[in-house]
Amino acid sequence: IWVLEHAQDVVTVLIGVVLITLAAALLVYGIVEFASHAATNISEAAKTLLDQALFVLILIEIVHTVVLSLQAHRLIAQPFVVVGLVAVIRRILLVLSSTKPPQPSELGLLIGMVAVFVAGLIAVSRFERRADEHDQI
């Protein structure tokens, strides 16, 4: 069991390093793309940079989840809910910044997903707080 636990930790650390490297590369790529296209079409360049930045934020939240699971040796739900919320917000921004008008059904579904993720975030926060209080007793 000790070998498996340490092997799992090694794999988890490697995944974290890969995700951090990918996030840094995507951020640099987004900035370079923004700088090269900003002179011709600042609006499109800003949309692309925002999309890249939000994707990097999703990757960093996943790394945060990996770190928390390494520290606690258990799965923490709250960062996953945050990743989902950021992903939905990213999609909403892409839909709204598109040149074609957004479909009301898609926009309604995305807004509903935001509400569900916020409710899930509140529920998970309360549940984890109660679990921590119970562990301290």
Side-chain angles (χ1 to χ4, degrees), residues 39-55:
T40 58
N41 189 352
I42 188 77
S43 177
E44 194 61 37
K47 289 177 195 174
T48 303
L49 181 59
L50 178 62
D51 182 48
Q52 288 292 106
L54 289 173
F55 186 59

Side-chain angles (χ1 to χ4, degrees), residues 10 26-27 32 40 44-46 59 73 80 86 103-104 109 114 117 120:
V10 168
L26 286 172
L27 189 59
V32 169
T40 58
E44 194 61 37
L59 290 174
H73 288 287
F80 285 110
V86 171
Q103 295 291 325
L109 178 64
V114 167
F117 276 119

Side-chain angles (χ1 to χ4, degrees), residues 20-120:
I20 287 287
T21 305
L22 179 61
L26 286 172
L27 189 59
V28 169
Y29 173 78
I31 292 169
V32 169
E33 284 293 307
F34 176 78
S36 66
H37 292 99
T40 58
N41 189 352
I42 188 77
S43 177
E44 194 61 37
K47 289 177 195 174
T48 303
L49 181 59
L50 178 62
D51 182 48
Q52 288 292 106
L54 289 173
F55 186 59
V56 167
L57 182 61
I58 290 169
L59 290 174
I60 295 303
E61 283 296 326
I62 293 171
V63 171
H64 179 67
T65 304
V66 168
V67 169
L68 288 177
S69 65
L70 275 172
Q71 289 174 341
H73 288 287
R74 65 181 175 94
L75 191 61
I76 309 293
Q78 188 174 8
F80 285 110
V81 178
V82 171
V83 167
L85 183 59
V86 171
V88 172
I89 291 170
R90 177 178 175 241
R91 180 66 186 159
I92 288 172
L93 290 173
L94 288 175
V95 166
L96 292 177
S97 66
S98 175
T99 55
K100 61 182 179 180
Q103 295 291 325
S105 58
E106 181 181 12
L107 203 50
L109 178 64
L110 291 170
I111 291 169
M113 289 174 69
V114 167
V116 168
F117 276 119
V118 168

